[in-house]
Amino acid sequence: MSIKSAKALALSGTMSRVFWHILRVCLSLSLLFVDNIILAAAVLIAYLRPATRRSKNFSPKTVLITGIGTAHGLTLARSWALEGHRVVGADITDLDLPVRSGGSMSKALVAFYRIPKDHYMSRVADIIHRENVDIWIPCSPKASPVEDAMVRQLIEGYTSCTCITFDVTCAIRFGHPDSFRQYLIEKGLPVLEHHRVQSRDSVHKILHRSPSKAYHISRASPSASEKAILLPSTTLSKTYSAISEIQISKDQPWILQQQSRLGELFADLLIVRGHVQAIRVRFSDSGPFTWGTSRLDKALAASIHSLMQKLVTKGDVRLTGHLCVRLMVDEEFEAHSVRHAIYIAGCTLGARPVDHPLYNVPCPVSGYLSVLPSNRVDTSNVTATLSSTDSAPAFARAAIIPATFMKFPVFRMALTALEVAEVEIVQLLFWKDPLFSILDPVPWWWHVHVYQPLREIWVLIKRTREAGLTDLA
C-alpha cells in the first residue's frame, strides 16, 4: 500500500468517525422536545408518589458509590436510597469536561464528588472521612481491581468504613489467569484443563487419561488464519493421523485446551465475608435464547450456586467483592448415564462484573449490609437468578443478506451502517435506557441531552486535532 493510499484510508476512517459523532449530537437535539415532555410527566408522577414510611428503629447508613455515572452504579444508588440510606456518589474524571455525568444528577444522592484519576486513592479516602461513610462500593471501570484493593487497604487501616472489594492479595491472584488456575487446583476445585504440550506423546497421554473430554489444540502463538484442531476425532485412526501432522517440539509448544459441549456460562456474584449474598447465572451472548425457562436450567443454576459457594469458602480469608466467574459446562458419559460437569474457566474482578447488575436478585441491599458486624444475613435463602440471553439484533446477517452477497464490500458497509444505526437509535429510546427511571428521570435526560452531546463534541474536536484536521472542527 502506497503512502498516498494509506493517508486516504486514514482520512476516510477519520471522516467516518466524525460523521457518527455529529449524528449522535443531531439525534439528541431532534428528540429534545419529546424527551422534555417525558421528563415533565415523569417528574409529576414522582412528585405525586406517596413517601415511603420508615420504621422507628431504622438506622440509615452512609454509602459511597464511585462510578455513579455508570448504569450499574446509578442502579445501586437508587436501590440504597429507596431503602432510606444516605448515598454519596462520585465519578473518576479522566477528561477535561466541566459537565457532570447523568448519574450525578440523581435525586438518590445527598452529595456528589469528581475524583481526578491521578488522585484516586487520596480523594476517595478524603470523601470517606468527610462524609463519615460506612460502606464503600467501587463501580467505576476507570479504576483497576488492584487500585481499589489498595484504596481498601488504606481506608480500613484508619477508618471504620468497610469496602466491598477484594484485598490486594486476592486481587492480584484472581486477576491473572495462571495464578487463578493454580489457586483452583490447590483448592481442589474443577478447573478447565489447559496444557502446554511439547510432544505428541504428551497429547496422547492426556487424551487417553480423559477419553470423555473434548479438546482444542493450537499453536502457542497462532496466526489469524490458523484454526484450532478438535481432538479426539470421530475415530481413533483419524485422531492419530491428526496428531501425527502436528509439528510440535520443545521449541514449538502447542496449547491443548479443554472444550465444552454445552456452552459457556457466567456467574455474577456478590460475595460478602465469604458468603454468596447474590448470584445471577447467564449464558454467553452466543447461548440459546430459551435459557432459564426449564427445570433442567434451574437445576444447573443450583449446581453452579453450590460450586460458587465452595469457591468463596475455600480461601484463607473471607472474600468480599464483586466477581464474575466464567464457567464451561460439559457432558460426561458413564456406563448407563450422562451427567453435566461444570468447570471454572476464569474470572473477572471489580467493576466489570457489575455491568450485569445484581439489582434484580433478591435483597441486594441487605446482602451488602451483611458486611457490617451488626447486620448478619442468613444466606440459606439466597437462590440463583437465571438471566436469559438478549434477543438477536434486528439486522442479523443471515436474515437480511445471503452469505454470497457478503463478499461484496458495498453490502458489508451497508449492513454495518444499518447495525450501527440500530444501536444508536435504541440508545435514545428512554424505555431501553438503563439510566431511565420513572421516579428519577433527570439522570437519563441529562445524559442524553447534556453530557453525551458535549462529550461527543469534545471527543470530535480532540480527534480532528490529532488527525491534523482542525479546519473541520
Side-chain angles (χ1 to χ4, degrees):
M1 181 182 294
S2 64
I3 298 177
K4 188 175 181 179
S5 59
K7 289 183 177 180
L9 184 62
L11 178 62
S12 175
T14 302
M15 294 302 295
S16 175
R17 290 191 294 269
V18 168
F19 168 76
W20 288 113
H21 286 304
I22 296 175
L23 176 63
R24 294 186 188 107
V25 175
C26 293
L27 286 174
S28 175
L29 293 174
S30 65
L31 293 174
L32 181 59
F33 177 74
V34 175
D35 286 350
N36 284 344
I37 297 175
I38 296 171
L39 174 65
V43 169
L44 180 61
I45 293 172
Y47 177 77
L48 296 176
R49 182 176 180 268
T52 305
R53 294 183 179 180
R54 309 292 175 195
S55 171
K56 293 182 179 180
N57 298 325
F58 177 72
S59 176
K61 305 298 180 183
T62 301
V63 184
L64 170 63
I65 299 177
T66 50
I68 198 67
T70 61
H72 46 277
L74 178 59
T75 301
L76 285 175
R78 287 167 172 165
S79 299
W80 280 91
L82 194 62
E83 296 285 336
H85 299 281
R86 294 182 70 251
V87 182
V88 178
D91 274 329
I92 301 175
T93 57
D94 54 1
L95 298 176
D96 296 329
L97 277 176
V99 183
R100 293 163 51 160
S101 66
S104 68
M105 307 302 293
S106 174
K107 68 177 184 180
L109 304 182
V110 297
F112 171 76
Y113 295 89
R114 291 166 61 93
I115 302 175
K117 183 67 172 70
D118 297 338
H119 302 87
Y120 179 56
M121 292 182 61
S122 60
R123 286 299 303 274
V124 170
D126 179 63
I127 294 169
I128 288 174
H129 178 73
R130 183 183 306 175
E131 297 289 344
N132 195 22
V133 173
D134 298 300
I135 300 175
W136 171 48
I137 307 176
C139 292
S140 176
K142 296 179 181 179
S144 69
V146 175
E147 287 177 317
D148 288 336
M150 294 174 65
V151 176
R152 169 186 169 173
Q153 190 175 30
L154 173 66
I155 291 170
E156 294 187 346
Y158 78 97
T159 70
S160 59
C161 177
T162 308
C163 309
I164 307 294
T165 188
F166 293 94
D167 59 27
V168 176
T169 303
C170 289
I172 295 175
R173 180 183 297 170
F174 284 25
H176 294 83
D178 293 337
S179 60
F180 180 62
R181 189 181 300 111
Q182 185 61 35
Y183 172 83
L184 296 174
I185 295 173
E186 292 174 357
K187 301 302 180 182
L189 295 168
V191 59
L192 197 72
E193 291 187 32
H194 180 91
H195 305 280
R196 189 180 182 89
V197 291
Q198 300 178 352
S199 66
R200 297 187 186 94
D201 184 57
S202 58
V203 176
H204 284 295
K205 287 181 179 179
I206 294 171
L207 295 179
H208 180 73
R209 186 176 66 232
S210 306
S212 63
K213 296 179 180 179
Y215 297 87
H216 273 168
I217 188 169
S218 61
R219 297 181 189 272
S221 300
S223 61
S225 59
E226 191 174 18
K227 294 183 179 180
I229 302 172
L230 178 63
L231 294 176
S233 301
T234 53
T235 64
L236 186 61
S237 61
K238 289 183 178 179
T239 300
Y240 273 87
S241 176
I243 296 175
S244 65
E245 295 176 0
I246 298 175
Q247 302 298 322
I248 183 172
S249 64
K250 291 184 178 180
D251 297 329
Q252 295 180 334
W254 285 53
I255 301 298
L256 188 66
Q257 176 81 44
Q258 181 186 351
Q259 298 299 303
S260 67
R261 297 178 179 89
L262 297 184
E264 180 182 56
L265 290 94
F266 294 90
D268 301 311
L269 309 174
L270 168 61
I271 307 167
V272 179
R273 294 188 179 273
H275 294 281
V276 177
Q277 293 290 349
I279 175 172
R280 179 172 180 247
V281 180
R282 56 186 172 86
F283 243 105
S284 63
D285 294 338
S286 59
F289 298 139
T290 57
W291 159 254
T293 58
S294 69
R295 294 175 61 184
L296 184 62
D297 295 339
K298 295 177 181 178
L300 180 59
S303 299
I304 292 174
H305 185 187
S306 177
L307 176 60
M308 294 300 98
Q309 187 58 54
K310 291 179 182 178
L311 169 64
V312 301
T313 55
K314 289 278 187 177
D316 300 328
V317 296
R318 290 190 173 185
L319 303 178
T320 296
H322 296 109
L323 183 68
C324 174
V325 181
R326 177 171 164 259
L327 304 162
M328 305 296 282
V329 182
D330 200 2
E331 292 178 330
E332 290 194 354
F333 301 93
E334 298 178 357
H336 302 287
S337 63
V338 179
R339 71 179 184 90
H340 288 164
I342 306 170
Y343 299 95
I344 301 175
C347 71
T348 306
L349 303 175
R352 289 184 61 188
V354 199
D355 283 339
H356 301 275
L358 296 169
Y359 59 83
N360 60 344
V361 300
C363 301
V365 173
S366 61
Y368 284 109
L369 283 171
S370 65
V371 75
L372 302 175
S374 58
N375 291 82
R376 297 302 186 200
V377 176
D378 183 14
T379 59
S380 60
N381 296 325
V382 175
T383 57
T385 299
L386 282 69
S387 176
S388 59
T389 309
D390 294 335
S391 58
F395 296 110
R397 292 189 174 187
I400 301 296
I401 301 176
T404 53
F405 287 97
M406 294 306 299
K407 298 178 181 179
F408 300 99
V410 175
F411 286 100
R412 290 201 301 269
M413 291 176 61
L415 182 60
T416 302
L418 285 173
E419 291 174 345
V420 173
E422 181 194 24
V423 172
E424 296 296 334
I425 293 173
V426 167
Q427 289 179 349
L428 294 173
L429 302 177
F430 71 93
W431 63 89
K432 294 281 189 178
D433 196 326
L435 297 181
F436 179 79
S437 170
I438 195 68
L439 301 178
D440 186 26
V442 176
W444 154 76
W445 184 92
W446 185 270
H447 176 81
V448 173
H449 296 292
V450 179
Y451 177 77
Q452 193 63 29
L454 291 178
R455 188 180 187 279
E456 293 291 343
I457 294 172
W458 188 92
V459 173
L460 174 61
I461 295 174
K462 180 181 178 182
R463 285 184 172 177
T464 51
R465 284 177 177 173
E466 290 176 351
L469 301 174
T470 52
D471 56 321
L472 296 177

